Amino acid sequence: MSYKLQFAELLPYWNVLLQGLVFTIVLTVVSTVAGIAVGTAGASARTFGPAWLGRVVAVYVELIRNTPFIVQLFFIFFGLPALGLKLSETTAAFLAMVINLGAYSTEIIRAGIEAVPKGHIEAGLSLAMTKWEVLRRIVLNQAFRKIYPALSSQIIIVMLGSAVVSQISAEDLTYAANFIASRNFRNFEVYLLVALAYLVLAILTRAALRALGRVIFKAR
Amino acid sequence: MSLVSIRDVRKSFGANEVLKGVSLDIAKGDVVAIIGRSGSGKSTLLRCINGLETYQSGSITADGIEVAGANTNLRELRRHVGMVFQQFNLFPHLTAAENVMLAPTVVNKVSKAEARATAAEVLAKVGLSEKMDAYPSELSGGQQQRVAIARSLAMRPKVLLCDEITSALDPELVNEVLRVVEQLAREGMTLILVTHEMRFARDVGTKLVFMHHGKVHEEGVPKEVFAAPRTPELQQFVGQVG
């Protein structure tokens, strides 16, 4: 059994691959920033907010964490138009990613908030700071420090999981691979190359996040 | 008029009543030492004074503000009532100076420069001028507790609540903290201390309160109370710890 690798056949499609790669990177960066913002708000609401709001957040988190990402994506892209909400595949992809990471990061950040000693919160309150000032100035900083590694892993998971958006024709790296394979039938070469691209992307992202962490959380 | 007035305060945690009608008057400049066995309600009482705990009945006013009033502005109350804790509770991500500067800048909206000047002043007062830029993890327990005291002082409180502030310290570090508290007492700061340091309570305190089963069991001038405890419970307590 022998197979002759012919990567040269991919060359004409280099710009398709590049566009896909850029899309995946932008999708990951944007949904990371927005998803963590959602997670921070969600975790804050669950720990420091009123009980009713905490319950609303809990329902959101459980709904997202207990259903497959691809179903969430399909619901947004194919389901919502029934309610008159028609989104482009790109918008649907971004939205699904933010909603998904938002739920997971809510739980991760909440764990960080709950790991901050209660005494620090009482000390802040005793200094006449409001609950929200205590949260922002004292609690969140310590919480993020504690959960940064877990959050980094989740970002990588979400980045790799973003391949699913190709299923609604959002033009990411996997979509590019599907596109090329359907044209030249070089499935082996295309998916090998794209797998390597994801691998490199994940390793670089991890390294970048680690470096970023060192800058944000300077030695103390 | 008393600075802190506690009237028949009752407080329960579930079915467990920990304060069973406590009344106490504290005047400006008083140094009140609250002693008693663990579980006698002394820390809970202290935490009720600045609203960290709520109570079911009775009333507490501090600097004229009713602590549990329906419209009480706890922020206003706490600007005048400082608290120091057994576990220091310094914010680990901030330096000593930043710990001290946080509340003045956030709550009183003073400028960074002004807050830094205040921090320098209060840290000098507790003998830690050279540690302004050290992080809590680089300080000993005694130093951390002195930073915590400085942090409270930066808000210029009228009353300082001290909740067993030497109980988490190694024995050789206790005195450096007590010396700071003693100096504050000499300068006229009103202090309410829950403490196990009997000698300190006797020598520095102007008023001694012995709590037992959620009530003020005996109170008076420390030297007199220690010399001649009237109740058998205090006699026994003094005998055990003294």
Side-chain angles (χ1 to χ4, degrees):
Chain A
M1 210 165 48
S2 72
Y3 183 87
K4 222 167 165 182
L5 285 167
Q6 297 189 25
F7 283 107
E9 294 209 21
L10 303 183
L11 274 176
Y13 299 101
W14 69 270
N15 59 331
V16 178
L17 281 170
L18 187 67
Q19 277 170 20
L21 182 69
V22 170
F23 186 95
T24 292
I25 292 172
V26 172
L27 179 62
T28 303
V29 171
V30 171
S31 52
T32 293
V33 172
I36 290 175
V38 170
T40 305
S44 302
R46 275 199 90 169
T47 48
F48 277 63
W52 67 266
L53 187 58
R55 277 195 293 276
V56 171
V57 173
V59 169
Y60 155 61
V61 167
E62 292 312 315
L63 217 54
I64 297 304
R65 292 205 312 165
N66 295 300
T67 53
F69 178 54
I70 192 164
V71 174
Q72 296 161 16
L73 183 70
F74 282 4
F75 180 80
I76 290 172
F77 186 66
F78 298 120
L80 288 185
L83 302 178
L85 191 59
K86 241 182 156 130
L87 302 170
S88 73
E89 49 274 23
T90 304
T91 310
F94 276 87
L95 189 63
M97 290 276 285
V98 171
I99 289 173
N100 188 270
L101 182 59
Y104 281 95
S105 62
T106 292
E107 278 307 273
I108 294 173
I109 296 167
R110 183 170 75 107
I113 290 175
E114 284 171 359
V116 173
K118 209 161 166 276
H120 292 189
I121 297 168
E122 292 185 343
L125 293 175
S126 297
L127 287 163
M129 293 166 75
T130 62
K131 209 162 65 157
W132 298 105
E133 286 164 353
V134 169
L135 177 70
R136 195 165 83 79
R137 303 298 194 117
I138 299 166
V139 176
L140 282 180
N141 190 302
Q142 292 189 61
F144 272 103
R145 218 177 265 264
K146 287 176 206 280
I147 53 92
Y148 191 74
L151 202 54
S152 297
S153 298
Q154 191 62 40
I155 291 166
I156 308 269
I157 290 170
V158 161
M159 194 226 1
L160 297 177
S162 75
V164 164
V165 305
S166 62
Q167 294 304 307
I168 59 166
S169 302
E171 298 177 356
D172 77 327
L173 187 55
T174 305
Y175 175 86
N178 298 344
F179 176 84
I180 295 164
S182 69
R183 295 294 161 96
N184 65 7
F185 306 110
R186 287 285 161 198
N187 285 283
F188 189 85
E189 287 86 345
V190 168
Y191 289 113
L192 185 64
L193 185 69
V194 166
L196 279 174
Y198 276 111
L199 178 68
V200 171
L201 209 51
I203 290 169
L204 289 180
T205 305
R206 214 178 290 272
L209 287 171
R210 200 173 302 141
L212 185 66
R214 269 199 295 271
V215 174
I216 302 174
F217 308 117
K218 292 188 295 281
R220 52 163 161 140
Chain B
M1 199 197 112
S2 46
L3 187 56
V4 176
S5 169
I6 302 169
R7 284 279 157 273
D8 200 29
V9 165
R10 287 173 181 274
K11 155 93 186 165
S12 306
F13 290 107
N16 180 22
E17 195 175 31
V18 288
L19 297 178
K20 300 171 181 170
V22 175
S23 298
L24 211 55
D25 278 295
I26 292 145
K28 192 171 176 306
D30 270 352
V31 178
V32 182
I34 304 176
I35 62 170
R37 285 181 214 291
S38 72
S40 61
K42 27 186 219 310
S43 282
T44 304
L45 179 65
L46 205 63
R47 292 162 58 83
C48 283
I49 298 175
N50 75 343
L52 281 183
E53 298 284 357
T54 55
Y55 44 90
Q56 277 84 29
S57 71
S59 86
I60 299 178
T61 59
D63 194 31
I65 300 173
E66 169 74 45
V67 177
N71 302 312
T72 294
N73 184 347
L74 275 180
R75 187 188 184 84
E76 198 51 37
L77 174 90
R78 287 167 177 162
R79 283 176 67 184
H80 305 298
V81 182
M83 188 161 195
V84 183
F85 299 83
Q86 181 176 355
Q87 298 297 342
F88 329 138
N89 291 332
L90 292 185
F91 310 131
H93 58 297
L94 302 176
T95 63
E98 287 166 347
N99 263 276
V100 176
M101 291 162 63
L102 186 63
T105 49
V106 171
V107 178
N108 294 343
K109 314 277 184 234
V110 308
S111 69
K112 274 253 155 64
E114 198 183 323
R116 176 109 189 150
T118 306
E121 177 209 321
V122 292
L123 283 170
K125 199 186 193 86
V126 299
L128 288 172
S129 293
E130 75 286 9
K131 296 290 186 188
M132 282 189 69
D133 298 314
Y135 283 91
S137 58
E138 299 163 343
L139 300 173
S140 73
Q143 289 171 332
Q144 287 189 54
Q145 193 60 297
R146 285 188 282 152
V147 172
I149 293 171
R151 183 172 68 179
S152 283
L153 293 180
M155 292 296 281
R156 314 285 183 210
K158 295 180 179 168
V159 191
L160 194 58
L161 311 175
C162 299
D163 191 5
E164 302 198 29
I165 62 170
T166 58
S167 298
L169 294 173
D170 292 337
E172 74 273 18
L173 301 176
V174 167
N175 278 330
E176 65 183 63
V177 172
L178 291 184
R179 268 199 303 276
V180 168
V181 179
E182 192 177 346
Q183 190 199 339
L184 291 177
R186 268 204 308 273
E187 290 169 3
M189 171 68 79
T190 308
L191 294 161
I192 308 176
L193 314 110
V194 168
T195 185
H196 293 293
E197 301 292 332
M198 295 304 146
R199 195 143 41 106
F200 185 82
R202 190 188 59 207
D203 296 344
V204 180
T206 61
K207 184 177 193 148
L208 188 84
V209 174
F210 173 61
M211 289 195 63
H212 187 68
H213 289 332
K215 284 183 170 166
V216 174
H217 203 67
E218 196 166 334
E219 66 176 296
V221 178
K223 285 195 178 66
E224 295 168 9
V225 176
F226 274 119
R230 290 190 302 272
T231 60
E233 288 80 8
L234 182 55
Q235 281 165 14
Q236 196 191 10
F237 182 73
V238 169
Q240 279 169 352
V241 298

